[in-house]
Amino acid sequence: MTKRIYTDPSIASSEITPESVFLNRRAFIKASSGTAASALGLSTLSSAAEPSELIYKTDPDGSLRGEQTPYDAVTSYNNFYEFGTDKSDPARHADSMATDPWTIKVGGLVDQPGELHLEDVMSGFDLEERIYRFRCVEAWSMVVPWIGFPLSALLKRFAPRSEGRFVEFKTLYRRSEMRGTRSFTSVIDWPYREGLRLDEAMHPLTLVAVGLYGKTLPNQNGAPLRLVVPWKYGFKSIKSIVEINVTAEQPETSWQTLQPNEYGFFANVNPEVDHPRWSQRFERKLPSSIFKPNRVPTLPFNGYEEQVAGLYEGMDLRQFY
Ligand SMILES: Nc1nc2c(c(=O)[nH]1)N[C@H]1C(S)=C(S)[C@@H](COP(=O)(O)O)O[C@H]1N2
Ligand SMILES: [Mo]
């Protein structure tokens, strides 16, 4: 087995401890069991050619592993407006969404437009574990051990053209299976849409997640695959993706369209820039309650400043919220 180690440029190679407990794909196969394994198409996975491993150091001193938010909190306190606006709605109602079969259409300014089926995704990319901080614009946060692969690996297969400067993403929109989209309180112009600049999309931290805690992604967290952009507010991390387009112009996104004065396109986590209705200086780290709020300071770029600040050189981060 080849071991490709992506070294974060900000971390000296001497700091890399090979015994770090990152799950590789084999460990994931072992960790997944029963229905989870079959839902992931793991028979395809295990029969695939010997995978190479890609290990990315996102937790250099191992401290994030100790801070992981319990599985129950990660999967019961969610934002997924397609199933309702209450934090408990996704866990209660998202099982009505059928995630198999699943097709992702990739097009726009690419040389090889096409489709990916879930089986292709599961057998075609090296899965790895990434423990990331995740910060919602509503000032709550969690630490999640995601399973996934870099979005760059997916995009490269479709050969983005040089005119491409942005990437647009769309969530499944199936009214019959998504009660929140039928609700009179629904505010979003469905399907849910998000976007990134192409260089943000290609950044090695930008992840396509297919699982968490070594298990298949639960529907409420965006099954079968969702984006995770850890230095941006959570709404950028679009769930249950069915379409990806490379574009020349900055795409319209759901939250920015709805409330442009409250939600920006970049939406980089920034404790210095308050939301019009609340401060972003602190966050409630889940699990949090009125008795134990678990309030911690919010970090610039959610703690990923060294890795990503270079993407925004010369930009006024207050103006380009
Ligand atoms: N399709 C879709 N994606 C979405 C949302 C949504 O309502 N619909 N909510 C976003 C918001 S605001 C957050 S904070 C995260 C929540 O992810 P989690 O439930 O896995 O914590 O998903 C994001 N992705
Ligand atoms: Mo959010």
Side-chain angles (χ1 to χ4, degrees):
M1 176 177 292
T2 29
K3 196 171 272 189
R4 288 181 294 140
I5 301 189
Y6 178 92
T7 309
D8 187 315
S10 67
I11 299 164
S13 59
S14 58
E15 287 177 54
I16 293 178
T17 44
E19 61 279 8
S20 297
V21 265
F22 290 120
L23 290 182
N24 58 32
R25 174 147 63 178
R26 283 219 212 117
F28 186 41
I29 292 168
K30 259 197 266 161
S32 317
S33 60
T35 52
S38 54
L40 263 178
L42 287 178
S43 51
T44 328
L45 261 187
S46 40
S47 64
E50 188 79 342
S52 62
E53 283 177 84
L54 179 66
I55 296 179
Y56 185 87
K57 292 295 291 183
T58 52
D59 187 20
D61 57 8
S63 61
L64 274 185
R65 182 166 293 277
E67 292 182 44
Q68 284 174 181
T69 305
Y71 182 82
D72 284 351
V74 173
T75 57
S76 65
Y77 188 94
N78 302 97
N79 276 332
F80 201 164
Y81 276 31
E82 284 84 339
F83 300 100
T85 53
D86 197 273
K87 293 287 179 285
S88 63
D89 281 332
R92 283 191 288 151
H93 304 300
D95 276 347
S96 57
M97 170 174 66
T99 58
D100 186 13
W102 192 273
T103 305
I104 304 123
K105 242 180 75 187
V106 186
L109 299 172
V110 295
D111 278 333
Q112 284 148 39
E115 287 184 347
L116 272 177
H117 300 283
L118 192 54
E119 309 79 75
D120 313 329
V121 173
M122 293 306 171
S123 60
F125 299 93
D126 290 345
L127 300 180
E128 55 184 297
E129 178 169 81
R130 298 266 186 105
I131 306 175
Y132 279 161
R133 296 187 192 85
F134 187 88
R135 170 54 158 91
C136 175
V137 72
E138 298 160 341
W140 53 266
S141 69
M142 53 188 186
V143 176
V144 185
W146 301 104
I147 303 286
F149 56 90
L151 175 65
S152 63
L154 186 154
L155 289 175
K156 278 177 194 156
R157 299 235 175 140
F158 297 89
R161 293 204 199 124
S162 54
E163 316 94 86
R165 293 191 50 233
F166 294 90
V167 188
E168 170 191 62
F169 305 87
K170 290 180 193 167
T171 294
L172 176 77
Y173 174 35
R174 205 178 275 152
R175 284 172 67 85
S176 58
E177 297 174 11
M178 298 173 145
R179 74 201 306 270
T181 65
R182 305 190 301 263
S183 159
F184 69 94
T185 58
S186 155
V187 287
I188 290 172
D189 176 23
W190 310 104
Y192 192 100
R193 278 163 296 144
E194 256 309 331
L196 295 171
R197 225 168 49 190
L198 187 57
D199 59 343
E200 297 177 319
M202 299 301 282
H203 190 280
L205 281 178
T206 304
L207 195 73
V208 175
V210 297
L212 55 83
Y213 270 103
K215 296 186 175 57
T216 308
L217 208 56
N219 277 13
Q220 61 266 38
N221 293 95
L225 88 175
R226 58 95 53 89
L227 202 62
V228 183
V229 195
W231 71 94
K232 292 179 180 284
Y233 290 119
F235 65 85
K236 299 296 292 181
S237 292
I238 183 172
K239 295 176 167 178
S240 306
I241 298 168
V242 292
E243 193 178 324
I244 301 177
N245 294 306
V246 175
T247 65
E249 305 297 326
Q250 183 174 305
E252 278 192 16
T253 64
S254 292
W255 285 104
Q256 204 192 13
T257 305
L258 195 65
Q259 288 282 20
N261 59 326
E262 299 197 352
Y263 308 104
F265 177 80
F266 285 95
N268 293 318
V269 175
N270 189 346
E272 303 291 324
V273 177
D274 290 345
H275 184 278
R277 292 182 278 136
W278 58 82
S279 162
Q280 295 291 25
R281 291 207 170 275
F282 290 86
E283 61 202 51
R284 291 180 300 114
K285 202 165 157 205
L286 301 184
S288 150
S289 70
I290 43 170
F291 307 108
K292 199 170 171 286
N294 214 7
R295 202 164 164 262
V296 299
T298 290
L299 302 171
F301 294 105
N302 202 26
Y304 300 97
E305 184 169 18
E306 278 188 65
Q307 291 98 318
V308 302
L311 292 170
Y312 309 103
E313 247 161 56
M315 275 174 68
D316 175 356
L317 293 173
R318 284 177 170 275
Q319 195 187 333
F320 290 95
Y321 168 73

PDB file of all heavy atoms in Angstrom, residues 23-57:
ATOM      1  N   LEU A  23      -8.187   7.072  10.723  1.00  0.00           N
ATOM      2  CA  LEU A  23      -8.726   5.867  10.111  1.00  0.00           C
ATOM      3  C   LEU A  23      -8.382   5.886   8.645  1.00  0.00           C
ATOM      4  O   LEU A  23      -8.511   6.907   7.993  1.00  0.00           O
ATOM      5  CB  LEU A  23     -10.253   5.842  10.228  1.00  0.00           C
ATOM      6  CG  LEU A  23     -10.840   5.629  11.594  1.00  0.00           C
ATOM      7  CD1 LEU A  23     -12.358   5.578  11.476  1.00  0.00           C
ATOM      8  CD2 LEU A  23     -10.332   4.343  12.190  1.00  0.00           C
ATOM      9  N   ASN A  24      -7.909   4.782   8.125  1.00  0.00           N
ATOM     10  CA  ASN A  24      -7.787   4.697   6.677  1.00  0.00           C
ATOM     11  C   ASN A  24      -9.009   3.944   6.174  1.00  0.00           C
ATOM     12  O   ASN A  24      -9.897   3.583   6.926  1.00  0.00           O
ATOM     13  CB  ASN A  24      -6.480   4.021   6.272  1.00  0.00           C
ATOM     14  CG  ASN A  24      -6.389   2.639   6.860  1.00  0.00           C
ATOM     15  OD1 ASN A  24      -7.396   1.971   7.037  1.00  0.00           O
ATOM     16  ND2 ASN A  24      -5.178   2.223   7.175  1.00  0.00           N
ATOM     17  N   ARG A  25      -9.041   3.738   4.883  1.00  0.00           N
ATOM     18  CA  ARG A  25     -10.246   3.133   4.333  1.00  0.00           C
ATOM     19  C   ARG A  25     -10.492   1.742   4.901  1.00  0.00           C
ATOM     20  O   ARG A  25     -11.613   1.354   5.164  1.00  0.00           O
ATOM     21  CB  ARG A  25     -10.146   3.076   2.814  1.00  0.00           C
ATOM     22  CG  ARG A  25     -11.310   2.323   2.211  1.00  0.00           C
ATOM     23  CD  ARG A  25     -11.699   2.857   0.903  1.00  0.00           C
ATOM     24  NE  ARG A  25     -10.637   2.730  -0.064  1.00  0.00           N
ATOM     25  CZ  ARG A  25     -10.796   3.124  -1.321  1.00  0.00           C
ATOM     26  NH1 ARG A  25     -11.924   3.635  -1.707  1.00  0.00           N
ATOM     27  NH2 ARG A  25      -9.820   2.982  -2.166  1.00  0.00           N
ATOM     28  N   ARG A  26      -9.427   0.986   5.109  1.00  0.00           N
ATOM     29  CA  ARG A  26      -9.616  -0.354   5.652  1.00  0.00           C
ATOM     30  C   ARG A  26     -10.213  -0.314   7.045  1.00  0.00           C
ATOM     31  O   ARG A  26     -11.077  -1.082   7.383  1.00  0.00           O
ATOM     32  CB  ARG A  26      -8.280  -1.071   5.713  1.00  0.00           C
ATOM     33  CG  ARG A  26      -7.867  -1.541   4.372  1.00  0.00           C
ATOM     34  CD  ARG A  26      -7.240  -2.897   4.512  1.00  0.00           C
ATOM     35  NE  ARG A  26      -6.221  -3.010   3.494  1.00  0.00           N
ATOM     36  CZ  ARG A  26      -4.950  -3.160   3.768  1.00  0.00           C
ATOM     37  NH1 ARG A  26      -4.545  -3.247   5.011  1.00  0.00           N
ATOM     38  NH2 ARG A  26      -4.095  -3.254   2.801  1.00  0.00           N
ATOM     39  N   ALA A  27      -9.699   0.629   7.835  1.00  0.00           N
ATOM     40  CA  ALA A  27     -10.231   0.748   9.184  1.00  0.00           C
ATOM     41  C   ALA A  27     -11.702   1.132   9.111  1.00  0.00           C
ATOM     42  O   ALA A  27     -12.514   0.686   9.905  1.00  0.00           O
ATOM     43  CB  ALA A  27      -9.452   1.786   9.965  1.00  0.00           C
ATOM     44  N   PHE A  28     -12.034   1.943   8.113  1.00  0.00           N
ATOM     45  CA  PHE A  28     -13.414   2.376   7.941  1.00  0.00           C
ATOM     46  C   PHE A  28     -14.288   1.178   7.609  1.00  0.00           C
ATOM     47  O   PHE A  28     -15.376   1.009   8.144  1.00  0.00           O
ATOM     48  CB  PHE A  28     -13.474   3.410   6.821  1.00  0.00           C
ATOM     49  CG  PHE A  28     -14.825   4.034   6.644  1.00  0.00           C
ATOM     50  CD1 PHE A  28     -15.594   4.388   7.731  1.00  0.00           C
ATOM     51  CD2 PHE A  28     -15.316   4.275   5.378  1.00  0.00           C
ATOM     52  CE1 PHE A  28     -16.834   4.983   7.571  1.00  0.00           C
ATOM     53  CE2 PHE A  28     -16.560   4.873   5.211  1.00  0.00           C
ATOM     54  CZ  PHE A  28     -17.315   5.219   6.312  1.00  0.00           C
ATOM     55  N   ILE A  29     -13.777   0.309   6.747  1.00  0.00           N
ATOM     56  CA  ILE A  29     -14.528  -0.894   6.408  1.00  0.00           C
ATOM     57  C   ILE A  29     -14.769  -1.713   7.665  1.00  0.00           C
ATOM     58  O   ILE A  29     -15.852  -2.198   7.912  1.00  0.00           O
ATOM     59  CB  ILE A  29     -13.776  -1.718   5.343  1.00  0.00           C
ATOM     60  CG1 ILE A  29     -13.774  -0.964   4.008  1.00  0.00           C
ATOM     61  CG2 ILE A  29     -14.421  -3.089   5.177  1.00  0.00           C
ATOM     62  CD1 ILE A  29     -12.837  -1.541   2.977  1.00  0.00           C
ATOM     63  N   LYS A  30     -13.748  -1.807   8.473  1.00  0.00           N
ATOM     64  CA  LYS A  30     -13.899  -2.555   9.723  1.00  0.00           C
ATOM     65  C   LYS A  30     -14.874  -1.858  10.668  1.00  0.00           C
ATOM     66  O   LYS A  30     -15.678  -2.481  11.314  1.00  0.00           O
ATOM     67  CB  LYS A  30     -12.536  -2.683  10.419  1.00  0.00           C
ATOM     68  CG  LYS A  30     -11.908  -4.048  10.215  1.00  0.00           C
ATOM     69  CD  LYS A  30     -10.801  -4.269  11.233  1.00  0.00           C
ATOM     70  CE  LYS A  30      -9.479  -3.874  10.629  1.00  0.00           C
ATOM     71  NZ  LYS A  30      -8.429  -3.629  11.597  1.00  0.00           N
ATOM     72  N   ALA A  31     -14.751  -0.535  10.722  1.00  0.00           N
ATOM     73  CA  ALA A  31     -15.577   0.223  11.661  1.00  0.00           C
ATOM     74  C   ALA A  31     -17.045   0.195  11.253  1.00  0.00           C
ATOM     75  O   ALA A  31     -17.928   0.184  12.085  1.00  0.00           O
ATOM     76  CB  ALA A  31     -15.097   1.671  11.737  1.00  0.00           C
ATOM     77  N   SER A  32     -17.301   0.168   9.961  1.00  0.00           N
ATOM     78  CA  SER A  32     -18.688   0.147   9.500  1.00  0.00           C
ATOM     79  C   SER A  32     -19.186  -1.282   9.569  1.00  0.00           C
ATOM     80  O   SER A  32     -18.446  -2.212   9.355  1.00  0.00           O
ATOM     81  CB  SER A  32     -18.766   0.624   8.057  1.00  0.00           C
ATOM     82  OG  SER A  32     -17.954   1.730   7.862  1.00  0.00           O
ATOM     83  N   SER A  33     -20.453  -1.421   9.882  1.00  0.00           N
ATOM     84  CA  SER A  33     -20.958  -2.784   9.944  1.00  0.00           C
ATOM     85  C   SER A  33     -22.403  -2.816   9.493  1.00  0.00           C
ATOM     86  O   SER A  33     -23.072  -1.799   9.453  1.00  0.00           O
ATOM     87  CB  SER A  33     -20.845  -3.313  11.362  1.00  0.00           C
ATOM     88  OG  SER A  33     -21.601  -2.483  12.215  1.00  0.00           O
ATOM     89  N   GLY A  34     -22.877  -4.001   9.181  1.00  0.00           N
ATOM     90  CA  GLY A  34     -24.290  -4.228   8.880  1.00  0.00           C
ATOM     91  C   GLY A  34     -24.818  -3.295   7.808  1.00  0.00           C
ATOM     92  O   GLY A  34     -24.220  -3.143   6.762  1.00  0.00           O
ATOM     93  N   THR A  35     -25.940  -2.674   8.124  1.00  0.00           N
ATOM     94  CA  THR A  35     -26.617  -1.865   7.121  1.00  0.00           C
ATOM     95  C   THR A  35     -25.754  -0.688   6.703  1.00  0.00           C
ATOM     96  O   THR A  35     -25.782  -0.277   5.564  1.00  0.00           O
ATOM     97  CB  THR A  35     -27.951  -1.327   7.668  1.00  0.00           C
ATOM     98  OG1 THR A  35     -27.669  -0.699   8.917  1.00  0.00           O
ATOM     99  CG2 THR A  35     -28.964  -2.418   7.836  1.00  0.00           C
ATOM    100  N   ALA A  36     -24.995  -0.159   7.647  1.00  0.00           N
ATOM    101  CA  ALA A  36     -24.133   0.975   7.305  1.00  0.00           C
ATOM    102  C   ALA A  36     -23.178   0.568   6.192  1.00  0.00           C
ATOM    103  O   ALA A  36     -23.006   1.278   5.210  1.00  0.00           O
ATOM    104  CB  ALA A  36     -23.345   1.441   8.520  1.00  0.00           C
ATOM    105  N   ALA A  37     -22.590  -0.619   6.340  1.00  0.00           N
ATOM    106  CA  ALA A  37     -21.624  -1.079   5.350  1.00  0.00           C
ATOM    107  C   ALA A  37     -22.283  -1.267   3.990  1.00  0.00           C
ATOM    108  O   ALA A  37     -21.747  -0.845   2.969  1.00  0.00           O
ATOM    109  CB  ALA A  37     -20.984  -2.373   5.815  1.00  0.00           C
ATOM    110  N   SER A  38     -23.471  -1.852   3.967  1.00  0.00           N
ATOM    111  CA  SER A  38     -24.076  -2.091   2.662  1.00  0.00           C
ATOM    112  C   SER A  38     -24.564  -0.790   2.047  1.00  0.00           C
ATOM    113  O   SER A  38     -24.498  -0.602   0.847  1.00  0.00           O
ATOM    114  CB  SER A  38     -25.204  -3.110   2.770  1.00  0.00           C
ATOM    115  OG  SER A  38     -26.135  -2.703   3.735  1.00  0.00           O
ATOM    116  N   ALA A  39     -25.011   0.123   2.885  1.00  0.00           N
ATOM    117  CA  ALA A  39     -25.453   1.410   2.350  1.00  0.00           C
ATOM    118  C   ALA A  39     -24.293   2.133   1.675  1.00  0.00           C
ATOM    119  O   ALA A  39     -24.471   2.874   0.725  1.00  0.00           O
ATOM    120  CB  ALA A  39     -26.028   2.281   3.468  1.00  0.00           C
ATOM    121  N   LEU A  40     -23.121   1.918   2.175  1.00  0.00           N
ATOM    122  CA  LEU A  40     -21.944   2.565   1.601  1.00  0.00           C
ATOM    123  C   LEU A  40     -21.435   1.847   0.368  1.00  0.00           C
ATOM    124  O   LEU A  40     -20.508   2.310  -0.272  1.00  0.00           O
ATOM    125  CB  LEU A  40     -20.809   2.571   2.628  1.00  0.00           C
ATOM    126  CG  LEU A  40     -20.625   3.835   3.443  1.00  0.00           C
ATOM    127  CD1 LEU A  40     -19.512   3.647   4.437  1.00  0.00           C
ATOM    128  CD2 LEU A  40     -20.320   5.015   2.547  1.00  0.00           C
ATOM    129  N   GLY A  41     -22.015   0.718   0.039  1.00  0.00           N
ATOM    130  CA  GLY A  41     -21.511  -0.038  -1.101  1.00  0.00           C
ATOM    131  C   GLY A  41     -20.130  -0.583  -0.803  1.00  0.00           C
ATOM    132  O   GLY A  41     -19.242  -0.561  -1.635  1.00  0.00           O
ATOM    133  N   LEU A  42     -19.947  -1.080   0.411  1.00  0.00           N
ATOM    134  CA  LEU A  42     -18.605  -1.481   0.811  1.00  0.00           C
ATOM    135  C   LEU A  42     -18.140  -2.755   0.123  1.00  0.00           C
ATOM    136  O   LEU A  42     -16.955  -3.023   0.082  1.00  0.00           O
ATOM    137  CB  LEU A  42     -18.522  -1.637   2.334  1.00  0.00           C
ATOM    138  CG  LEU A  42     -18.536  -0.290   3.044  1.00  0.00           C
ATOM    139  CD1 LEU A  42     -18.499  -0.470   4.548  1.00  0.00           C
ATOM    140  CD2 LEU A  42     -17.385   0.586   2.617  1.00  0.00           C
ATOM    141  N   SER A  43     -19.071  -3.499  -0.460  1.00  0.00           N
ATOM    142  CA  SER A  43     -18.607  -4.657  -1.215  1.00  0.00           C
ATOM    143  C   SER A  43     -17.771  -4.165  -2.395  1.00  0.00           C
ATOM    144  O   SER A  43     -16.752  -4.738  -2.727  1.00  0.00           O
ATOM    145  CB  SER A  43     -19.797  -5.490  -1.701  1.00  0.00           C
ATOM    146  OG  SER A  43     -20.707  -4.640  -2.355  1.00  0.00           O
ATOM    147  N   THR A  44     -18.221  -3.068  -2.978  1.00  0.00           N
ATOM    148  CA  THR A  44     -17.458  -2.460  -4.076  1.00  0.00           C
ATOM    149  C   THR A  44     -16.099  -1.995  -3.555  1.00  0.00           C
ATOM    150  O   THR A  44     -15.075  -2.190  -4.172  1.00  0.00           O
ATOM    151  CB  THR A  44     -18.182  -1.200  -4.621  1.00  0.00           C
ATOM    152  OG1 THR A  44     -19.568  -1.398  -4.498  1.00  0.00           O
ATOM    153  CG2 THR A  44     -17.786  -0.910  -6.038  1.00  0.00           C
ATOM    154  N   LEU A  45     -16.175  -1.389  -2.385  1.00  0.00           N
ATOM    155  CA  LEU A  45     -14.958  -0.849  -1.795  1.00  0.00           C
ATOM    156  C   LEU A  45     -13.896  -1.913  -1.561  1.00  0.00           C
ATOM    157  O   LEU A  45     -12.753  -1.762  -1.967  1.00  0.00           O
ATOM    158  CB  LEU A  45     -15.285  -0.250  -0.419  1.00  0.00           C
ATOM    159  CG  LEU A  45     -15.477   1.237  -0.327  1.00  0.00           C
ATOM    160  CD1 LEU A  45     -15.618   1.628   1.128  1.00  0.00           C
ATOM    161  CD2 LEU A  45     -14.303   1.959  -0.945  1.00  0.00           C
ATOM    162  N   SER A  46     -14.299  -3.006  -0.915  1.00  0.00           N
ATOM    163  CA  SER A  46     -13.290  -3.980  -0.522  1.00  0.00           C
ATOM    164  C   SER A  46     -12.754  -4.752  -1.724  1.00  0.00           C
ATOM    165  O   SER A  46     -11.637  -5.239  -1.702  1.00  0.00           O
ATOM    166  CB  SER A  46     -13.845  -4.936   0.529  1.00  0.00           C
ATOM    167  OG  SER A  46     -15.157  -5.259   0.214  1.00  0.00           O
ATOM    168  N   SER A  47     -13.565  -4.824  -2.805  1.00  0.00           N
ATOM    169  CA  SER A  47     -13.069  -5.552  -3.969  1.00  0.00           C
ATOM    170  C   SER A  47     -12.247  -4.646  -4.877  1.00  0.00           C
ATOM    171  O   SER A  47     -11.637  -5.078  -5.833  1.00  0.00           O
ATOM    172  CB  SER A  47     -14.244  -6.154  -4.750  1.00  0.00           C
ATOM    173  OG  SER A  47     -15.043  -5.110  -5.243  1.00  0.00           O
ATOM    174  N   ALA A  48     -12.252  -3.353  -4.571  1.00  0.00           N
ATOM    175  CA  ALA A  48     -11.483  -2.414  -5.402  1.00  0.00           C
ATOM    176  C   ALA A  48      -9.991  -2.681  -5.261  1.00  0.00           C
ATOM    177  O   ALA A  48      -9.552  -3.333  -4.325  1.00  0.00           O
ATOM    178  CB  ALA A  48     -11.784  -0.980  -4.994  1.00  0.00           C
ATOM    179  N   ALA A  49      -9.246  -2.188  -6.231  1.00  0.00           N
ATOM    180  CA  ALA A  49      -7.791  -2.348  -6.173  1.00  0.00           C
ATOM    181  C   ALA A  49      -7.255  -1.758  -4.877  1.00  0.00           C
ATOM    182  O   ALA A  49      -7.862  -0.864  -4.291  1.00  0.00           O
ATOM    183  CB  ALA A  49      -7.154  -1.635  -7.365  1.00  0.00           C
ATOM    184  N   GLU A  50      -6.141  -2.276  -4.449  1.00  0.00           N
ATOM    185  CA  GLU A  50      -5.523  -1.815  -3.205  1.00  0.00           C
ATOM    186  C   GLU A  50      -5.471  -0.277  -3.162  1.00  0.00           C
ATOM    187  O   GLU A  50      -4.834   0.346  -4.006  1.00  0.00           O
ATOM    188  CB  GLU A  50      -4.102  -2.383  -3.132  1.00  0.00           C
ATOM    189  CG  GLU A  50      -3.404  -2.153  -1.826  1.00  0.00           C
ATOM    190  CD  GLU A  50      -3.848  -3.112  -0.732  1.00  0.00           C
ATOM    191  OE1 GLU A  50      -4.925  -3.743  -0.855  1.00  0.00           O
ATOM    192  OE2 GLU A  50      -3.133  -3.230   0.243  1.00  0.00           O
ATOM    193  N   PRO A  51      -6.152   0.313  -2.225  1.00  0.00           N
ATOM    194  CA  PRO A  51      -6.187   1.770  -2.218  1.00  0.00           C
ATOM    195  C   PRO A  51      -4.888   2.369  -1.668  1.00  0.00           C
ATOM    196  O   PRO A  51      -4.178   1.734  -0.911  1.00  0.00           O
ATOM    197  CB  PRO A  51      -7.333   2.080  -1.266  1.00  0.00           C
ATOM    198  CG  PRO A  51      -7.383   0.913  -0.348  1.00  0.00           C
ATOM    199  CD  PRO A  51      -6.889  -0.275  -1.107  1.00  0.00           C
ATOM    200  N   SER A  52      -4.613   3.568  -2.101  1.00  0.00           N
ATOM    201  CA  SER A  52      -3.518   4.282  -1.456  1.00  0.00           C
ATOM    202  C   SER A  52      -4.141   5.107  -0.342  1.00  0.00           C
ATOM    203  O   SER A  52      -5.319   5.395  -0.351  1.00  0.00           O
ATOM    204  CB  SER A  52      -2.803   5.168  -2.457  1.00  0.00           C
ATOM    205  OG  SER A  52      -3.695   6.138  -2.952  1.00  0.00           O
ATOM    206  N   GLU A  53      -3.335   5.459   0.599  1.00  0.00           N
ATOM    207  CA  GLU A  53      -3.856   6.235   1.723  1.00  0.00           C
ATOM    208  C   GLU A  53      -3.420   7.671   1.579  1.00  0.00           C
ATOM    209  O   GLU A  53      -2.305   7.955   1.180  1.00  0.00           O
ATOM    210  CB  GLU A  53      -3.246   5.749   3.032  1.00  0.00           C
ATOM    211  CG  GLU A  53      -3.815   4.476   3.551  1.00  0.00           C
ATOM    212  CD  GLU A  53      -3.055   4.100   4.807  1.00  0.00           C
ATOM    213  OE1 GLU A  53      -3.392   4.602   5.868  1.00  0.00           O
ATOM    214  OE2 GLU A  53      -2.104   3.310   4.689  1.00  0.00           O
ATOM    215  N   LEU A  54      -4.287   8.563   1.928  1.00  0.00           N
ATOM    216  CA  LEU A  54      -3.914   9.961   1.956  1.00  0.00           C
ATOM    217  C   LEU A  54      -4.142  10.427   3.386  1.00  0.00           C
ATOM    218  O   LEU A  54      -5.247  10.365   3.898  1.00  0.00           O
ATOM    219  CB  LEU A  54      -4.773  10.770   0.993  1.00  0.00           C
ATOM    220  CG  LEU A  54      -4.488  12.265   0.962  1.00  0.00           C
ATOM    221  CD1 LEU A  54      -3.103  12.546   0.413  1.00  0.00           C
ATOM    222  CD2 LEU A  54      -5.525  12.978   0.127  1.00  0.00           C
ATOM    223  N   ILE A  55      -3.090  10.826   4.006  1.00  0.00           N
ATOM    224  CA  ILE A  55      -3.225  11.245   5.396  1.00  0.00           C
ATOM    225  C   ILE A  55      -2.964  12.733   5.482  1.00  0.00           C
ATOM    226  O   ILE A  55      -1.964  13.229   4.988  1.00  0.00           O
ATOM    227  CB  ILE A  55      -2.245  10.474   6.293  1.00  0.00           C
ATOM    228  CG1 ILE A  55      -2.623   8.998   6.255  1.00  0.00           C
ATOM    229  CG2 ILE A  55      -2.295  11.003   7.719  1.00  0.00           C
ATOM    230  CD1 ILE A  55      -1.729   8.124   7.077  1.00  0.00           C
ATOM    231  N   TYR A  56      -3.887  13.445   6.039  1.00  0.00           N
ATOM    232  CA  TYR A  56      -3.764  14.897   6.106  1.00  0.00           C
ATOM    233  C   TYR A  56      -3.747  15.285   7.568  1.00  0.00           C
ATOM    234  O   TYR A  56      -4.627  14.902   8.331  1.00  0.00           O
ATOM    235  CB  TYR A  56      -4.958  15.526   5.390  1.00  0.00           C
ATOM    236  CG  TYR A  56      -4.866  17.021   5.302  1.00  0.00           C
ATOM    237  CD1 TYR A  56      -4.193  17.618   4.256  1.00  0.00           C
ATOM    238  CD2 TYR A  56      -5.430  17.828   6.282  1.00  0.00           C
ATOM    239  CE1 TYR A  56      -4.092  18.991   4.178  1.00  0.00           C
ATOM    240  CE2 TYR A  56      -5.331  19.194   6.210  1.00  0.00           C
ATOM    241  CZ  TYR A  56      -4.667  19.774   5.154  1.00  0.00           C
ATOM    242  OH  TYR A  56      -4.579  21.137   5.077  1.00  0.00           O
ATOM    243  N   LYS A  57      -2.737  16.016   7.960  1.00  0.00           N
ATOM    244  CA  LYS A  57      -2.614  16.384   9.372  1.00  0.00           C
ATOM    245  C   LYS A  57      -3.474  17.591   9.690  1.00  0.00           C
ATOM    246  O   LYS A  57      -3.106  18.720   9.409  1.00  0.00           O
ATOM    247  CB  LYS A  57      -1.154  16.723   9.694  1.00  0.00           C
ATOM    248  CG  LYS A  57      -0.206  15.550   9.645  1.00  0.00           C
ATOM    249  CD  LYS A  57      -0.499  14.522  10.705  1.00  0.00           C
ATOM    250  CE  LYS A  57      -0.163  15.076  12.088  1.00  0.00           C
ATOM    251  NZ  LYS A  57      -0.367  14.074  13.141  1.00  0.00           N
TER     252      LYS A  57
END
